[in-house]
Amino acid sequence: MSAPNRTDTVRLTAAQALVRFLAAQHTERDGVRQRLIGATWGIFGHGNVAGIGQALVEYDTLMPFHQGRNEQAMVHAAVGYARQSRRLSTHAVTTSIGPGATNLTTGAALATINRLPVLLLPGDTFATRPADPVLQQLEVPYAGDVSVNDCLRPVSRWFDRVTRPEALIPAALAAMRVLTDPADTGAVTLALPQDVQVEAYDWPVRFFEERVWTVRRPNPDPRELADAVRELRAARRPLIVAGGGVRHSGAEHALRALADATGIPVASTQAGKGALPHDHPADVGGIGHTGTATADALARGADLVLGVGTRWSDFTTASATLFENPDVRFLNLNIAPFDGHKLAGQTLIADARAALEALTESLQAHRVDAAYQAEYTRAKSAWEDQVSAAYATPDPAARPTQAQVLGVLDELADGDDVLINAAGSLPGDLHKLWRARSPHQYHVEYGYSCMGYEIPAALGVQLADPGLRVWALVGDGTYLMMPTEIVTAVQEHLPVKVVILQNHGYASIGGLSQSVGAERFGTAYRFRAPDGSYTGAPLPVDLGANAASLGMRVLRPKTVRDLREALAEACASDVPTCVYVETETADTVSGVPPAQAWWDVPVAETASRPAAVQAREEYDRQARSRRRHL
């Protein structure tokens, strides 16, 4: 093959070419254009310091850079940015080889499970193998081309190892295709051998020209749309379940128009909460194991369930026990056929906004029966009374419960606040109780439910939308997983607010442990006795002091009254601020309504301890109600 015309080329290293290429990529949807790779996060070591590191210095005016402290946290920050950007923009993450690269795996899994785009650029061992092995190289006896980066294959939507500079051209284009594909996005990995990064090549100038990737809004197939309309018209007790796809599509207004026109109640998954504001007449709250009594009762009696952009996880379906009506049918509106066919559902494969608009137009004057609407309106009102009771603070001088912390924050929040959470007992309390006021306010990562997500994701959200107040709500267990990006928040003057709820233990898993007969083993932060039991006072751990040592301003409320003042002060703060609040202990019930539906966690089939025997009896009783929807 003849060499390219040198007047149409520019000589750069592979790393320099990649940075220039990424800076020229854009997305466009509905006529709005934005940059695809908004910035690059990095921690440098051998494998990326002389390649990508030098390239980022070379083109510092083209590619903004954020200095991370933990590789997994950098991915979480990029994911938070991508979600806040409705998947139209994301960040890249570069790491060294070895542990720097393998630390990306958890973040990559989170991104792919949640269908959120992020570009991973781990360094890799030498392609030319001048020395074998090199520092941090994994030696595999049966294959010479395997490195630790291959751990990223199963958690990436696209993976490529760029072993020659010119191979970067098709690899980079394929990476952009996946990042911008609304049905097939997730983590994308380009493994970059360290010698290839610094090798020079004559690159076609066209490789660096501005490129716009159109994010499609496919319309529904006319036959599928007609079938969906017929099913909705025939249903007597329809229910809409809004998932994360509503937000990704920007379909909130379209969903509201359908609910207004038809009166069909709308429940929400963790990713879909906020698709309707909490005070909309058709919003019946969260659904499933962490859902409201209103939504779960409607789900049990529904004869048609329209799932919009949901993956139908076990929490949403209460481990296949929730939808009890023997005649229930599922209609799955999803841009991804993989998700559209779940629960043996009738498919409506399309963009959420486009299909919801088409359904509203086609249904015209159709409305649910007035008695059905009155039924869920009464139930919604009754549940609101339970929320208010959980939030109530009868004694302002008392130590607050976790629910009361949420209640005080609920008083202060408006549509410009974003609440971020991922793990522990908070996702359940938030799903049941939180009154979402805007589509972006409720940001709970529950596809992977990854401890440590909250603080770095808060940085990503703050970077995506600097005008918002961003709250990272974390328990003590989650905080201990990954507080490191506090340093980055301080370094970059990002005024995120971190609320640490200290109850001295893994409260959520402790409760689950007790319910399945494991007797809260290994879930408390207490001194351990010689017999293995946990006794005495909590450990002398001061997480507020830790946050202060990392540069945060720390407020320490002791009572409900103090808490209200501290949260208000944090609201007004323009520096990274932590509210460190001691709540009730891990084994104290906080007044939050219990789970309204089951979740399948298998219990020991045989055991000698009474707790496990009793838990198995309850498990067998609940498991009998599981069904396969065919």
Side-chain angles (χ1 to χ4, degrees):
M1 185 173 71
S2 61
N5 186 332
R6 298 189 66 85
T7 61
D8 296 325
T9 63
V10 57
R11 191 162 182 82
L12 302 169
T13 68
Q16 293 164 355
L18 179 58
V19 171
R20 276 191 56 175
F21 170 83
L22 294 178
Q25 307 306 302
H26 297 78
T27 62
E28 184 174 316
R29 187 172 70 180
D30 304 328
V32 178
R33 182 178 300 186
Q34 58 186 288
R35 184 167 170 151
L36 173 55
I37 306 298
T40 295
W41 289 82
I43 297 176
F44 294 107
H46 88 97
N48 70 337
V49 66
I52 292 290
Q54 188 281 326
L56 288 167
V57 173
E58 188 91 9
Y59 297 112
D60 62 333
T61 60
L62 294 179
M63 178 61 69
F65 175 76
H66 302 300
Q67 184 179 2
R69 269 70 192 182
N70 177 284
E71 291 87 358
Q72 178 182 322
M74 294 193 298
V75 186
H76 293 336
V79 167
Y81 181 94
R83 174 167 165 165
Q84 185 65 22
S85 304
R86 297 186 187 269
R87 305 195 302 184
L88 300 174
S89 183
T90 188
H91 285 163
V93 177
T94 178
T95 71
S96 62
I97 66 175
T102 53
N103 282 350
L104 295 173
T105 306
T106 298
L110 181 147
T112 297
I113 286 169
N114 285 283
R115 317 292 203 263
L116 290 166
V118 61
L119 177 61
L120 308 180
L121 305 173
D124 211 330
T125 52
F126 288 84
T128 53
R129 305 181 191 179
D132 194 27
V134 297
L135 178 65
Q136 298 177 329
Q137 179 176 335
L138 174 71
E139 294 183 272
V140 179
Y142 61 82
D145 62 346
V146 171
S147 79
V148 296
N149 284 334
D150 288 275
C151 295
L152 290 162
R153 287 183 184 271
V155 293
S156 298
R157 296 299 286 174
W158 170 261
F159 178 99
D160 201 355
R161 179 174 283 111
V162 182
T163 55
R164 289 291 307 145
E166 57 267 37
L168 178 65
I169 295 176
L173 292 170
M176 299 306 105
R177 172 188 62 79
V178 176
L179 288 173
T180 58
D181 187 330
D184 201 35
T185 194
V188 170
T189 300
L190 295 180
L192 303 172
Q194 57 180 316
D195 50 347
V196 176
Q197 289 182 47
V198 301
E199 187 174 345
Y201 181 71
D202 294 320
W203 301 89
V205 172
R206 289 190 62 187
F207 185 54
F208 309 114
E209 292 177 356
E210 183 174 286
R211 191 181 300 265
V212 179
W213 300 83
T214 300
V215 179
R216 303 184 301 278
R217 284 197 184 279
N219 289 312
D221 176 80
R223 173 64 180 273
E224 286 193 339
L225 177 62
D227 290 344
V229 170
R230 183 174 61 252
E231 291 287 341
L232 285 165
R233 285 187 176 277
R236 302 273 66 84
R237 299 181 63 86
L239 174 66
I240 296 172
V241 175
V246 175
R247 171 163 177 74
H248 300 330
S249 172
E252 293 90 354
H253 291 299
L255 177 63
R256 182 170 190 155
L258 179 63
D260 288 342
T262 63
I264 300 175
V266 179
S268 55
T269 68
Q270 287 279 14
K273 190 174 173 72
L276 288 183
H278 75 95
D279 55 357
H280 189 279
D283 179 71
V284 294
I287 191 171
H289 178 66
T290 54
T292 68
T294 309
D296 286 354
L298 290 170
R300 292 184 178 98
D303 57 0
L304 179 69
V305 182
L306 170 59
V308 185
T310 176
R311 300 185 305 122
W312 290 123
S313 74
D314 61 339
F315 260 65
T316 300
T317 66
S319 299
T321 64
L322 184 59
F323 300 99
E324 295 179 352
N325 189 327
D327 298 320
V328 66
R329 304 179 308 284
F330 293 88
L331 172 60
N332 294 331
L333 193 179
N334 207 295
I335 199 166
F338 177 81
D339 292 318
H341 285 275
K342 289 177 178 175
L343 300 178
Q346 181 176 312
T347 58
L348 185 58
I349 305 303
D351 171 74
R353 194 182 82 177
L356 288 170
E357 290 173 347
L359 285 172
T360 302
E361 181 180 356
S362 299
L363 286 166
Q364 295 178 357
H366 174 74
R367 286 192 65 83
V368 299
D369 187 80
Y372 182 49
Q373 192 165 356
E375 173 191 332
Y376 72 71
T377 299
R378 288 192 300 271
K380 174 182 169 72
S381 177
W383 183 260
E384 276 299 308
D385 290 341
Q386 292 194 57
V387 173
S388 297
Y391 281 172
T393 56
D395 183 3
R399 174 186 288 185
T401 65
Q402 181 166 286
Q404 288 169 344
V405 174
L406 298 181
V408 175
L409 190 55
D410 177 79
E411 295 174 15
L412 297 170
D414 60 30
D416 287 333
D417 289 87
V418 180
L419 274 67
I420 301 176
N421 185 243
S425 56
L426 273 167
D429 291 357
L430 286 163
H431 203 206
K432 293 189 192 84
L433 303 178
W434 187 256
R435 294 162 171 157
R437 295 161 174 80
S438 64
H440 62 247
Q441 185 179 77
Y442 189 87
H443 183 134
V444 173
E445 185 283 301
Y446 218 56
Y448 209 39
S449 186
C450 185
M451 295 177 73
Y453 172 81
E454 294 88 346
I455 295 174
L459 272 61
V461 172
Q462 193 79 82
L463 289 166
D465 216 330
L468 301 180
R469 283 194 299 261
V470 183
W471 301 83
L473 307 183
V474 298
D476 44 294
T478 290
Y479 178 84
L480 285 168
M481 288 283 181
M482 203 168 294
T484 52
E485 288 351 85
I486 287 175
V487 178
T488 301
V490 172
Q491 180 181 34
E492 302 209 9
H493 311 287
L494 299 174
V496 296
K497 296 91 171 60
V498 176
V499 180
I500 303 176
L501 297 154
Q502 170 64 284
N503 57 23
H504 299 284
Y506 298 115
S508 174
I509 207 67
L512 178 61
S513 172
Q514 183 173 351
S515 72
V516 297
E519 302 176 47
R520 294 184 178 267
F521 178 75
T523 64
Y525 295 162
R526 296 174 184 269
F527 289 104
R528 193 169 185 178
D531 64 358
S533 64
Y534 293 90
T535 60
L539 297 176
V541 174
D542 188 342
L543 301 182
N546 178 264
S549 76
L550 297 177
M552 287 201 104
R553 177 188 182 195
V554 177
L555 307 174
R556 293 173 172 271
K558 301 295 185 183
T559 67
V560 173
R561 183 184 296 110
D562 297 340
L563 175 67
R564 186 170 282 105
E565 294 173 358
L567 290 175
E569 192 172 340
C571 273
S573 178
D574 60 357
V575 298
T577 302
C578 170
V579 178
Y580 180 65
V581 53
E582 296 251 4
T583 63
E584 298 295 340
T585 56
D587 54 358
T588 300
V589 177
S590 66
V592 176
Q596 304 297 306
W598 189 56
W599 182 43
D600 190 345
V601 178
V603 177
E605 192 169 6
T606 180
S608 61
R609 297 178 71 88
V613 173
Q614 294 170 13
R616 181 65 194 199
E617 291 173 355
E618 174 63 14
Y619 177 83
D620 289 337
R621 185 183 72 81
Q622 294 281 7
R624 284 193 290 271
S625 62
R626 278 184 307 210
R627 60 182 294 196
R628 294 196 183 276
H629 298 281
L630 299 172

